Amino acid sequence: MRMRKILVAVTLLALVVGLVGCGAPKQPATTSPGLDTSGDTNRTIVEIDAKKLEELIQTDRDLVIIDVSGKWAEGHIVGALDTPLDKLQGIINGNFTLNASKHFVVYSHDEESSKKAANVLLTSSFTVINRLVGGYDAWVAYGGYTEKQP
């Protein structure tokens, strides 16, 4: 009888701990390159380097790369969408090209624009958001494929 009471108490304790842990809200966060991001990265801005971007391009079928620089014609990552920062929210609201269920990498020719764009996506219910640290220049320095519009 005593063993049964102990078993019931342990089971109830495990149930309470599990329920309390599940109820904690997740806070949006930013992680840095080099950190292990193999866990849940939904509703998080993950900062990636050019090597990680190349890996994602090769393995992630849901990947969408967006250039928010407004300088897309001057040079961009092959396959990137031309989505200037000042038009990003309108494109999201109009649901023209961006599908929140896809996985995104945002980059720019400057760090501030890509940080702002990543936050716009995060606050607009996009769940998988990566930001290329160093932007276009980092991609070029890495030797990644680029193209320019004539």
Side-chain angles (χ1 to χ4, degrees):
M1 185 69 166
R2 181 178 173 151
M3 185 61 126
R4 187 173 183 192
K5 286 182 181 179
I6 292 172
L7 184 59
V8 168
V10 168
T11 303
L12 286 174
L13 180 60
L15 181 62
V16 168
V17 169
L19 289 174
V20 170
C22 291
K26 288 189 176 185
Q27 297 296 321
T30 301
T31 60
S32 299
L35 293 179
D36 179 13
T37 59
S38 59
D40 182 12
T41 58
N42 284 346
R43 304 281 307 139
T44 313
I45 299 167
V46 178
E47 295 187 332
I48 63 171
D49 59 14
K51 182 178 181 180
K52 180 64 177 177
L53 174 55
E54 180 180 43
E55 190 179 299
L56 289 173
I57 290 170
Q58 294 175 6
T59 61
D60 190 341
R61 292 180 189 203
D62 288 326
L63 188 67
V64 176
I65 303 169
I66 57 176
D67 180 333
V68 298
S69 69
K71 299 178 180 180
W72 186 84
E74 296 173 27
H76 57 273
I77 296 172
V78 172
L81 298 176
D82 181 17
T83 313
L85 179 59
D86 62 342
K87 296 184 175 148
L88 180 60
Q89 192 64 60
I91 290 169
I92 292 168
N93 293 345
N95 198 23
F96 296 118
T97 51
L98 302 180
N99 180 335
S101 69
K102 298 289 185 180
H103 304 158
F104 290 87
V105 173
V106 295
Y107 78 92
S108 184
H109 288 246
D110 69 273
E111 290 291 292
E112 272 315 297
S113 295
S114 65
K115 287 178 182 179
K116 288 177 184 175
N119 282 315
V120 166
L121 291 171
L122 186 66
T123 59
S124 298
S125 299
F126 287 72
T127 56
V128 181
I129 307 156
N130 299 283
R131 189 183 76 80
L132 177 59
V133 175
Y136 181 75
D137 292 337
W139 182 250
V140 170
Y142 178 74
Y145 293 112
T146 61
E147 60 187 1
K148 295 181 182 182
Q149 290 304 111

